Amino acid sequence: MNLQFVSQEEPSEAAALAQRVARLRSSMEWASDAIPVAVREEVSATIQRCDERLSLGVEHTVVALAGGTGSGKSSLFNAILGREFAVAGVARPTTSQVSAAVWGGRGQALLDWIGVDRQRRLARGIDSLDDPDEGQLRGMVLLDLPDHDSINAENRAVVDRVVPMADLLLWVVDPQKYADHALHSAYLEAASRHGSPSLVVLNHVDRLTTKDAWAVARDLQRLLAVDGMTQVPVMPVSAKTGQGLDILRAELAGAVAARSVAAEAVRADLVSAGRALAGALTKGAEPHLPDVEELVQALARAAGVDSRAERAAAIARGAHPGERKPLRLSVATVERERLDWVDAATDGLPPRWRQVVADTIQDAEGLGSEIEAALEAAAWPSVDPPQGWRALFAKATLASSARKKTLEAGRTAVRAVVLPHVVEPTETIHQAYRAMDELTELDASAKEDT
């Protein structure tokens, strides 16, 4: 027979992230009780958001323009778009809802997910009359968000909802309010902690001299460093005159061309989930499965299997075996062995995980009943007294064989109960722990990359 090996391609980054999200979801289903409620809710929301974003594909890059009143987000939106985006029946320049432009069309399912009203969408077609570099933005979804500092609570709620859904955040500030505490404390610091891909635009530089514009840009860069955004560039731009717009569009084109920004945004979401979960894990802990055979032998012995094996050996030797006793397990004995297993299986893990394993494996009463039923139905070997003169000389061998076969029959019956009701649930909890612990490693690798 000829063997043929078929090489399989490595999964794409998006596919690998989808697998990680699926493992995390499964882990949360199995071990949610080990996670504090607030963290559980945050991680569950992250799972849902990542799942939905990946299901929509990563061929589009969602760029959100975020900023405060007077920063000129809408003007910059139109400048990047290259035309005025007017919505019928909507008074401008107040931005109270999200507007969107999609380069190259499509992306409707993505905009539905983000919650962009259909009247506030523009398909930015690309034709021969456009500059050649316009095609480099194909696949970009540009969002114009409400002001984050709006006195309207609903507007702020929209910003808070959409910002985590963006693949790339374009923070727009102006020379007067670039140091605004609300922006830095509520958004930029949070984006830094989350690891959200970001760019910062200093708009309205046409109102400053070149010297003053660079002075403000340097001070803004300093404030971003305080926020933790040491790798985020500040781009001086004027939406009014077009100054710096070519550089900004080149940055956006680079992000779109990379086709990895959406995946990176999901990865940042998972890193954030890992940080949230870190408190429910023990650094460096590695759950290990206890000795399964030790548990099987202990329960079999407690049920009387070893005694039955000795009786079989006695019969094989020709001795009087005595009365055969029924195989029974006391609940107290099963519970003692069960808790010893739980202790060993959660050694080094946080206390909450001990309770999760204890609650997941079968209770002592049910386990004892299952084992007794399995022993009752076991295929016990038949053992006869030695007969004939040859058998008299082989009594020791016959006794040893009878004892071994009886032990194996009993332990096989016990093992058939222990594996699905104790071992496999414990392995599942261990896998859940490892899947969550992977996220903390993802955080560490993200730090190394930066």
Side-chain angles (χ1 to χ4, degrees):
M1 181 171 67
N2 293 326
L3 295 178
Q4 291 185 340
F5 295 91
V6 179
S7 61
Q8 294 184 342
E9 294 183 2
E10 288 290 324
S12 66
E13 184 179 7
L17 288 171
Q19 293 172 4
R20 192 183 292 273
V21 172
R23 289 199 302 272
L24 179 58
R25 184 195 310 105
S26 177
S27 299
M28 291 298 292
E29 290 172 356
W30 274 99
S32 61
D33 288 344
I35 310 302
V37 175
V39 175
R40 189 188 316 162
E41 292 176 349
E42 178 182 346
V43 173
S44 296
T46 297
I47 292 171
Q48 181 177 351
R49 185 166 58 246
C50 292
D51 219 8
E52 291 173 345
R53 181 64 184 92
L54 289 171
S55 70
L56 293 167
V58 294
E59 65 273 12
H60 287 91
T61 300
V62 180
V63 181
L65 292 172
T69 307
S71 63
K73 293 189 313 302
S74 296
S75 298
L76 185 59
F77 179 89
N78 287 328
I80 297 172
L81 185 59
R83 63 193 63 176
E84 286 289 326
F85 182 17
V87 180
V90 177
R92 303 283 294 213
T94 302
T95 306
S96 57
Q97 296 184 48
V98 182
S99 296
V102 183
W103 271 253
R106 297 185 301 167
Q108 299 308 308
L110 186 58
L111 294 178
D112 287 341
W113 175 63
I114 295 171
V116 180
D117 187 276
R118 288 186 174 270
Q119 286 189 311
R120 304 187 72 91
R121 304 177 184 182
L122 174 68
R124 176 60 164 90
I126 302 172
D127 53 42
S128 58
L129 297 179
D130 283 310
D131 291 335
D133 62 353
E134 198 69 42
Q136 297 177 8
L137 296 177
R138 185 183 298 275
M140 182 172 75
V141 177
L142 186 64
L143 305 178
D144 184 12
L145 304 186
D147 300 331
H148 72 80
D149 57 356
S150 171
I151 59 173
N152 187 330
E154 292 183 3
N155 289 0
R156 296 197 302 274
V158 170
V159 175
D160 293 343
R161 178 181 62 80
V162 176
V163 161
M165 304 169 88
D167 302 323
L168 176 63
L169 293 168
L170 197 60
W171 302 98
V172 185
V173 299
D174 67 281
Q176 283 72 41
K177 297 193 296 182
Y178 70 89
D180 179 50
H181 177 73
L183 172 66
H184 287 269
S185 62
Y187 292 99
L188 295 178
E189 288 180 8
S192 175
R193 289 193 303 271
H194 189 275
S196 303
S198 300
L199 295 173
V200 176
V201 170
L202 176 63
N203 197 14
H204 299 315
V205 293
D206 55 289
R207 301 175 182 176
L208 303 173
T209 63
T210 301
K211 180 179 179 181
D212 287 344
W214 283 112
V216 172
R218 284 193 297 270
D219 192 46
L220 177 54
Q221 196 77 69
R222 177 186 63 80
L223 293 174
L224 291 175
V226 173
D227 296 331
M229 290 184 160
T230 55
Q231 304 297 317
V232 177
V234 173
M235 289 175 286
V237 167
S238 170
K240 181 180 179 180
T241 67
Q243 179 183 344
L245 195 61
D246 55 339
I247 298 175
L248 174 58
R249 286 173 62 88
E251 286 283 346
L252 295 176
V256 172
R259 297 293 188 195
S260 62
V261 178
E264 184 59 31
V266 173
R267 189 176 188 273
D269 245 349
L270 290 174
V271 167
S272 181
R275 290 170 183 163
L277 285 168
L281 308 176
T282 298
K283 187 175 179 59
E286 173 61 31
H288 294 285
L289 201 66
D291 190 330
V292 177
E293 289 308 307
E294 183 179 327
L295 175 63
V296 168
Q297 292 174 22
L299 289 171
R301 184 168 50 252
V305 171
D306 289 32
S307 296
R308 179 168 288 194
E310 294 301 331
R311 183 178 183 277
I315 293 174
R317 285 194 299 269
H320 188 275
E323 184 181 358
R324 191 174 82 170
K325 297 180 180 179
L327 300 175
R328 294 288 182 266
L329 272 169
S330 72
V331 174
T333 299
V334 177
E335 181 66 1
R336 182 180 67 248
E337 296 297 336
R338 181 179 174 278
L339 292 180
D340 285 348
W341 170 273
V342 171
D343 287 340
T346 57
D347 183 39
L349 303 188
R352 284 176 179 263
W353 287 86
R354 184 187 187 282
Q355 190 59 49
V356 168
V357 173
D359 290 343
T360 302
I361 66 175
Q362 192 166 32
D363 61 272
E365 184 175 357
L367 191 61
S369 297
E370 291 265 5
I371 290 174
E372 288 179 0
L375 291 171
E376 184 69 27
W380 298 101
S382 62
V383 182
D384 299 315
Q387 296 180 354
W389 66 272
R390 290 181 181 276
L392 293 175
F393 291 100
K395 287 192 294 184
T397 301
L398 292 173
S400 176
S401 176
R403 181 179 185 279
K404 182 178 180 181
K405 289 179 179 179
T406 303
L407 279 176
E408 185 55 34
R411 290 173 181 175
T412 297
V414 173
R415 191 180 299 110
V417 175
V418 166
L419 288 178
H421 295 301
V422 177
V423 179
E424 292 173 8
T426 303
E427 288 181 319
T428 299
I429 298 302
H430 283 179
Q431 290 169 5
Y433 186 94
R434 293 189 187 101
M436 294 180 184
D437 195 42
E438 278 182 10
L439 294 184
T440 63
E441 295 175 8
L442 193 64
D443 186 16
S445 66
K447 292 177 180 177
E448 289 175 4
D449 292 342
T450 57

